Each structure stands twice: as C-alpha cells, then as structure tokens.
Amino acid sequence: MSHIPGIAITGASGRMGQMLIRTVRDSDKARLVGAVERKGHDWVGRDVGEAMGGAPLGVIVSDDPLEAFAPAQAIIDFTAPGATLEFAALAAQARAVHVIGTTGMSEEEIAALEPAARHAVIVRAGNMSLGVNLLTQLTKKVAAALDEDFDIEVIEAHHHHKVDAPSGTALMLGEAAAEGRGVALADVSDRGRDGITGARKRGDIGFTAIRGGDIVGEHDVLFAAAGERITLRHVATDRAIFARGALKAALWGQGKQPGQYDMVDVLGL
C-alpha cells in the first residue's frame, strides 16, 4: 500500500470534507492518511470514520495541519481563503501536491500562493468537474466567435449555505468569456444591479447569483442578441463529481514540477 499516494483532507467535518473522505476511502488508487479540523472542534482526537457515523478508518482527526500533512503525498482542500493560504505554505513544506477547491479567494490571496508554488504542485480550480471545465472551454470559444452584439450573462444557483457570490465557477466562466473576447474581466464585469441602473453597457459580462434550498450547483452562460439566444448549461446533482475531480487532480500532480496548474491541465483540455 505504501506506493499508493496518501491523501490528507482539510475541513474534514464539512459536506465536501466528508464527501472527499468517502471518495478517497473507496478508491483503489489512493489512501487516506490525514484529516484536519480547526482547534476546538469536537471531531479532533476522534477516528474520522467514527466521527462520520461509520466504521473506523484508522485516521485520527488532528488540529495540527503539519502533523496531518507529514505522511501525505497530496492535500485536498475545500475550506476558506485564509485557511487555504496557511495550508499552502505547510503543503509546500511537506512537498505535497495541494489541490485547492476553495472559492471566494481574492486576486491578492491567489497571488499569495505563488511562493508555495515554487516548491510544490498546486492545482487550483473554481470547479473540479469534467463537465464544468468543458463548459469553460466552450464558453471561451463561443465568446471568441460572437461580437458585442451578443450580451453575455453568467447565471449561477447554489444551496442556501453558500457564503460567496458569484461562485468560483461563475467567475471562471466569466474569465473564459472575457478571454475569448480579448478583454480583462475586471474591466467589463457587472456584478450588481439594483434600482435605476440605466441601460446595459455594451460589452459587459453580467453575473446573477441565486441561493436556495439544497441546489448543488447550476451554471448557465447566456449569449443574447436581437432575435436569438444561445445558452450553455451545466447542472450538478451530486457533489461527488467535485470530489472525484479533486482526487483525479491529486493523483495527476504526483511527480509534476512545482508550479500552479488548473483542471484544464489535469484533463488535458
């Protein structure tokens, strides 16, 4: 078993954390070697399998990330920006692949990953699913083919627990559309409409965020012109797709040169 990459999961008690643990547990290509939770969490010191309400897995939940990362060849991290930056430095110290599914990171926080990427592989993506990454490539191609007679709107929907908006995936799609048009998203992004806003500015890329119920993730990219509309759509019904993609990224990163990568690299798109 020692030749099979060991994986440590951060945010072990969260919905994605538990899904990632189950995904690694059920894989014959990886093994679970670490689980991390914040100091004071009631899972700390317990077997992670028992904490999840199942059979023991032989991995004790730790509040010491460095301790949990030491035996790992990869870290899978769907937490919060501040925690992710701390984990990046520690993962680099352990020379482990750091797979980042954390959303809501600012440009400054993303730039702060660069020192860690000089020493270890970082795979960061707003969405880990194959379908969404295909949608991203399609969005870029359609945006490049259509001029500004076509307004671009990115519409996303998620469960009511999600804390950031627009979603990381929506921003990834917006970036793809902007890249297809040869512009910077920061220059054309329209992320807030309320009251008397005036007419839509030609060339803008608009964002709408919907929050409700238990929606796993829905993303539409709308290209709308006079007399016609094109809609590209992806619907996720099970967050296991993100966990499978993250594990694929963790395995892909083994043996790669230090640096920052994304799911387009992993999937060879």
Side-chain angles (χ1 to χ4, degrees):
M1 291 287 288
S2 61
H3 66 286
I4 298 176
I7 311 291
I9 306 297
T10 63
S13 72
R15 284 168 297 175
M16 270 308 303
Q18 294 189 51
M19 180 62 71
L20 287 161
I21 289 166
R22 288 190 288 269
T23 300
V24 174
R25 177 199 65 192
D26 296 341
S27 172
D28 60 0
K29 297 178 180 178
R31 56 199 173 91
L32 185 69
V33 298
V36 178
E37 258 304 340
R38 64 186 182 277
K39 291 185 184 299
H41 195 282
D42 60 8
W43 279 28
V44 173
R46 299 174 61 191
D47 183 283
V48 70
E50 293 178 336
M52 289 171 57
L57 296 178
V59 173
I60 302 301
V61 180
S62 176
D63 60 8
D64 181 349
L66 189 57
E67 176 186 69
F69 293 177
Q73 283 71 58
I75 317 303
I76 303 181
D77 174 21
F78 284 69
T79 54
T84 290
L85 291 178
E86 176 189 350
F87 295 147
L90 297 176
Q93 187 174 333
R95 297 299 189 267
V97 174
H98 187 191
V99 177
I100 300 174
T102 300
T103 60
M105 297 185 73
S106 68
E107 291 184 9
E108 292 77 14
E109 287 165 333
I110 292 169
L113 295 170
E114 183 56 35
R118 297 192 193 109
H119 302 285
V121 171
I122 293 178
V123 182
R124 187 185 65 83
N127 193 298
M128 296 285 174
S129 88
L130 171 60
V132 162
N133 282 277
L134 287 171
L135 176 62
T136 302
Q137 297 303 301
L138 289 171
T139 297
K140 180 179 176 180
K141 289 185 177 181
V142 174
L146 302 176
D147 63 21
E148 291 185 351
D149 287 341
F150 282 81
D151 298 323
I152 302 176
E153 293 283 321
V154 181
I155 305 107
E156 56 100 341
H158 285 86
H159 52 85
H160 58 214
H161 295 292
K162 188 166 180 61
V163 298
D164 59 306
S167 69
T169 302
L171 293 172
M172 186 169 71
L173 293 168
E175 290 281 5
E179 187 175 348
R181 286 219 166 143
V183 297
L185 181 61
D187 294 336
V188 297
S189 178
D190 184 355
R191 293 172 56 170
R193 297 178 185 140
D194 186 22
I196 307 301
T197 62
R200 189 187 199 282
K201 183 179 176 183
R202 181 178 170 86
D204 274 359
I205 297 174
F207 292 87
T208 300
I210 298 166
R211 297 289 177 266
D214 62 354
I215 301 170
V216 174
E218 299 178 3
H219 293 86
D220 292 81
V221 185
L222 171 66
F223 297 84
E228 60 182 327
R229 293 190 297 274
I230 300 166
T231 302
L232 304 178
R233 181 160 224 242
H234 180 271
V235 175
T237 58
D238 185 346
R239 59 177 44 88
I241 64 172
F242 311 128
R244 290 194 295 268
L247 178 56
K248 183 179 181 72
L251 297 175
W252 175 89
Q254 302 301 311
K256 297 292 188 297
Q257 290 297 310
Q260 294 199 54
Y261 303 88
D262 59 22
M263 285 302 288
V264 172
D265 298 311
V266 174
L267 299 170
L269 297 175

